[in-house]
Amino acid sequence: QVQFVESGGGLVQPGGSLGLSCAASGSIFSIFSMGWYRQAPGKQRELVATITTRGSTNYADSVKGRFTISRDNAKNTVYLQMNNLKPEDTAVYHCNLPLVPQVWGQGTLVTVSS
């Protein structure tokens, strides 16, 4: 079982930037793809970015060109750099393993508002 601790969220104005981190416990981190998810109020959780063990990335159309996912296997950590944030990016952000989903962490709240 892998446990996740997400951090880095906060309040930011439209057009601003934030960087999120997700520290994962467990030895399987380095052998699976990782993903960042978000859940906005009243909406279902959606997958916004994934990264394979070799660093190949994929993004939801809604964040493509604005978000960048990366990982450091030595630190069991995955990152999400978010630029040009929009109010519709407001959500609780989580990380998890898309292929073998684990128990969800608490997530980190991102609020984009003026």
Side-chain angles (χ1 to χ4, degrees):
Q1 190 67 267
V2 181
Q3 294 180 321
F4 306 106
V5 178
E6 299 93 346
S7 62
L11 173 63
V12 62
Q13 292 186 342
S17 298
L18 277 177
L20 307 183
S21 298
C22 169
S25 66
S27 59
I28 68 172
F29 173 87
S30 62
I31 63 174
F32 285 102
S33 295
M34 284 293 299
W36 276 99
Y37 300 74
R38 68 185 181 187
Q39 186 166 20
K43 295 187 177 181
Q44 289 190 332
R45 184 180 289 122
E46 62 170 333
L47 178 63
V48 297
T50 60
I51 184 167
T52 68
T53 55
R54 295 186 177 186
S56 295
T57 58
N58 198 24
Y59 300 92
D61 289 343
S62 58
V63 307
K64 199 170 295 183
R66 301 187 297 121
F67 289 12
T68 302
I69 187 172
S70 60
R71 67 190 293 166
D72 185 336
N73 290 336
K75 295 182 179 180
N76 277 13
T77 301
V78 62
Y79 305 95
L80 187 68
Q81 178 63 38
M82 306 183 295
N83 298 326
N84 191 21
L85 283 160
K86 304 175 180 181
E88 52 263 41
D89 295 318
T90 295
V92 177
Y93 285 72
H94 298 264
C95 61
N96 212 317
L97 308 177
L99 297 180
V100 280
Q102 306 293 297
V103 174
W104 295 95
Q106 290 192 336
T108 186
L109 175 62
V110 173
T111 303
V112 184
S113 175
S114 55

